[in-house]
């Protein structure tokens, strides 16, 4: 992968991370502003459910931010774009679709098959 492509993915990942961080900040402000102690139990339950869903989404995003930062570190270490399992170069089209991919399509497919077998 050439330097221009590396810069392209670096910019995508940094923009994605910044967007997720802004969402986290917005959620915190929203929850602080909207927090109210409703006397009606139904209203209070609705608000708690809304906050619970929002926090669950932010937790997923927090994990994604960690994965993005790991990928950015791989870019710095010149290890980006190679499969963790077999070492083959991950295709640019796959990286465009999922910039945080750390497995080539073949290894990812095998991992998903194994996961289904273990679950079922």
């Amino acid at each position: 992968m050439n330097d221009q492509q590396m810069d392209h993915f670096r910019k995508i990942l940094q923009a994605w991370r910044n967007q997720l961080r802004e969402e986290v900040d917005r959620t915190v402000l929203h929850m602080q502003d909207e927090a109210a102690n409703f006397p009606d139990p139904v209203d209070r339950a609705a608000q708690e459910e809304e906050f619970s869903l929002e926090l669950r989404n932010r937790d997923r995003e927090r994990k994604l931010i960690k994965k993005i930062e790991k990928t950015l570190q791989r870019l710095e270490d010149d290890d980006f774009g190679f499969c963790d399992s077999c070492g083959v170069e991950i295709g640019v089209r796959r990286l465009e679709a999922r910039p945080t991919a750390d497995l080539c399509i073949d290894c990812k497919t095998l991992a998903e098959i194994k996961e289904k077998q273990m679950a079922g």
Side-chain angles (χ1 to χ4, degrees):
M1 191 174 299
N2 63 37
D3 290 339
Q4 186 179 6
Q5 289 171 320
M6 300 284 258
D7 287 339
H8 169 73
F9 286 111
R10 186 176 291 111
K11 288 176 185 174
I12 288 173
L13 290 163
Q14 289 171 340
W16 195 9
R17 180 184 60 188
N18 292 339
Q19 178 187 5
L20 290 171
R21 285 181 175 167
E22 288 172 9
E23 276 296 316
V24 168
D25 293 341
R26 213 172 303 137
T27 297
V28 170
L29 292 174
H30 169 72
M31 290 181 78
Q32 288 173 343
D33 293 343
E34 297 294 320
N37 192 6
F38 293 109
D40 182 30
V42 174
D43 290 340
R44 189 171 36 241
Q47 182 186 43
E48 288 176 7
E49 181 65 21
E50 176 191 338
F51 285 176
S52 175
L53 288 171
E54 208 164 324
L55 287 173
R56 196 172 317 145
N57 286 336
R58 294 300 91 76
D59 187 49
R60 277 193 216 111
E61 290 173 354
R62 178 186 56 82
K63 291 175 184 174
L64 181 55
I65 289 171
K66 283 184 179 182
K67 193 164 186 172
I68 291 170
E69 288 174 348
K70 176 184 167 194
T71 304
L72 285 168
Q73 185 59 49
R74 290 180 67 157
L75 269 164
E76 295 303 316
D77 297 340
D78 286 333
D79 195 27
F80 176 74
F82 294 96
C83 179
D84 282 350
S85 182
C86 68
V88 170
E89 189 171 354
I90 299 172
V92 174
R93 289 179 61 199
R94 174 158 168 71
L95 291 171
E96 283 287 340
R98 187 71 175 169
T100 58
D102 52 6
L103 295 175
C104 67
I105 193 68
D106 293 333
C107 290
K108 183 62 176 174
T109 302
L110 286 173
E112 288 175 356
I113 290 170
K114 288 178 185 176
E115 185 177 311
K116 285 181 184 177
Q117 289 175 344
M118 298 298 277

